[in-house]
């Protein structure tokens, strides 16, 4: 399936930092709530002899209430929609400086799948395997390993604002805060032309108007 955009759900504070620093921030995955997921990443890092490992997660799924509630809850939630072609070109361009960077779709497997000794379990795929119960997340993941032991718990990689197609503000954000928030974000250097909208997931004029056709 062809993917046009990947979505990064986060909060306003993180978004402002991303836009001001022009950096995508990868985090230490070993503290993730899903310890099954974290364990596979830990084993990948050990076998690759990385002393530090960082990850950044996106979803290829269309906007859902689940994504907002789990990954960007409350009025300060945001969704950064990133152009997939530009993103892949960007990752390719930094490969020379970051040779250990890896990325791809997450595969969702059942316990029987990973235990089946007739099916190879490839080392390079360990960071991209997750239990089938999470399959609705349709995750796309970026992994970066470092041979040196890094003291920091996050790692920033520079990017160009042009890879962002659109920023979607939470539908929980009050209407009277939308304009000042858009003005603030657009005032950040290089962000004047960003497309910024408020989600209509829970309050869509066209959807509500359509019921008038009922007879």
């Amino acid at each position: 399936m062809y993917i046009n955009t990947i979505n990064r759900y986060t909060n306003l504070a993180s978004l402002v930092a991303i836009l001001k620093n022009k950096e995508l921030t990868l985090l230490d995955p070993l503290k993730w709530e899903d310890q099954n997921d974290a364990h596979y990443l830990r084993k990948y890092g050990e076998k690759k002899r990385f002393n530090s490992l960082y990850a950044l997660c996106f979803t290829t799924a269309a906007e859902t209430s689940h994504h907002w509630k789990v990954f960007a809850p409350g009025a300060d939630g945001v969704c950064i929609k990133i152009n997939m072609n530009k993103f892949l070109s960007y990752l390719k361009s930094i490969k020379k400086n970051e040779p250990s960077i890896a990325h791809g779709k997450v595969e969702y497997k059942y316990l029987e799948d990973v235990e089946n000794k007739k099916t190879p379990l490839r080392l390079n795929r360990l960071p991209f395997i997750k239990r089938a119960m999470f399959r609705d997340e349709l995750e796309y993941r970026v992994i970066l390993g470092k041979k040196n032991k890094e003291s920091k718990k996050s790692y920033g990689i520079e990017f160009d604002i042009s890879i962002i197609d659109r920023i979607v503000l939470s539908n929980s954000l009050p209407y009277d805060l939308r304009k000042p928030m858009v003005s603030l974000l657009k005032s950040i250097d290089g962000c004047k032309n960003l497309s910024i909208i408020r989600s209509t997931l829970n309050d869509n004029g066209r959807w509500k108007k359509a019921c008038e056709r009922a007879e």
Side-chain angles (χ1 to χ4, degrees):
M1 182 179 68
Y2 179 75
I3 303 170
N4 290 315
T5 59
I6 53 175
N7 301 319
R8 171 65 179 172
Y9 287 87
T10 185
N11 56 50
L12 282 168
S14 295
L15 172 62
V16 170
I18 289 169
L19 297 180
K20 286 183 71 69
N21 298 331
K22 309 296 187 289
E23 284 185 345
L24 292 173
T25 304
L26 286 74
L27 301 174
D28 180 352
L30 301 186
K31 300 289 180 65
W32 284 352
E33 180 181 3
D34 182 357
Q35 284 299 297
N36 292 319
D37 202 2
H39 182 76
Y40 272 47
L41 283 156
R42 183 183 296 111
K43 286 299 178 183
Y44 169 79
E46 289 175 0
K47 289 177 179 290
K48 284 283 191 176
R49 300 191 178 183
F50 294 137
N51 285 301
S52 298
L53 192 66
Y54 302 96
L56 178 60
C57 303
F58 303 86
T59 178
T60 62
E63 181 183 15
T64 68
S65 178
H66 167 82
H67 285 99
W68 282 109
K69 289 181 178 178
V70 174
F71 302 112
D76 71 336
V78 298
C79 175
I80 308 171
K81 303 182 77 65
I82 294 178
N83 183 285
M84 188 59 164
N85 286 334
K86 292 179 180 179
F87 185 65
L88 293 178
S89 295
Y90 158 67
L91 292 177
K92 185 177 180 180
S93 72
I94 66 172
K95 187 76 174 176
K96 292 180 181 179
N97 296 324
E98 302 289 358
S100 65
I101 199 166
H103 57 93
K105 294 179 183 178
V106 169
E107 298 176 68
Y108 298 93
K109 295 182 177 293
Y110 291 98
L111 188 56
E112 295 79 7
D113 298 328
V114 296
E115 289 182 330
N116 187 352
K117 294 182 179 179
K118 294 181 180 180
T119 304
L121 198 58
R122 304 296 184 189
L123 174 59
N124 285 340
R125 292 303 303 166
L126 283 186
F128 305 100
I129 294 175
K130 201 167 181 177
R131 296 195 71 181
M133 298 76 151
F134 295 91
R135 59 186 175 273
D136 290 342
E137 292 178 358
L138 294 178
E139 192 176 333
Y140 195 94
R141 187 173 286 178
V142 178
I143 303 294
L144 177 65
K146 287 289 186 180
K147 296 292 185 182
N148 297 328
K149 182 65 177 178
E150 302 280 342
S151 59
K152 52 189 179 182
K153 296 299 182 182
S154 63
Y155 193 89
I157 51 176
E158 295 181 0
F159 77 103
D160 192 284
I161 291 292
S162 65
I163 73 171
I164 297 177
D165 276 347
R166 174 171 285 182
I167 291 172
V168 183
L169 305 176
S170 172
N171 51 215
S172 297
L173 181 72
Y175 279 106
D176 57 352
L177 295 182
R178 176 188 170 276
K179 285 187 177 180
M181 186 54 62
V182 170
S183 296
L184 172 64
L185 295 173
K186 285 180 173 285
S187 70
I188 297 173
D189 184 43
C191 299
K192 182 175 65 173
N193 296 320
L194 274 179
S195 173
I196 305 174
I197 65 169
R198 180 182 180 277
S199 172
T200 62
L201 183 66
N202 291 341
D203 190 3
N204 186 289
R206 290 173 59 190
W207 176 268
K208 291 190 291 187
K209 186 177 180 180
C211 74
E212 296 176 7
R213 298 174 52 248
E215 298 179 356

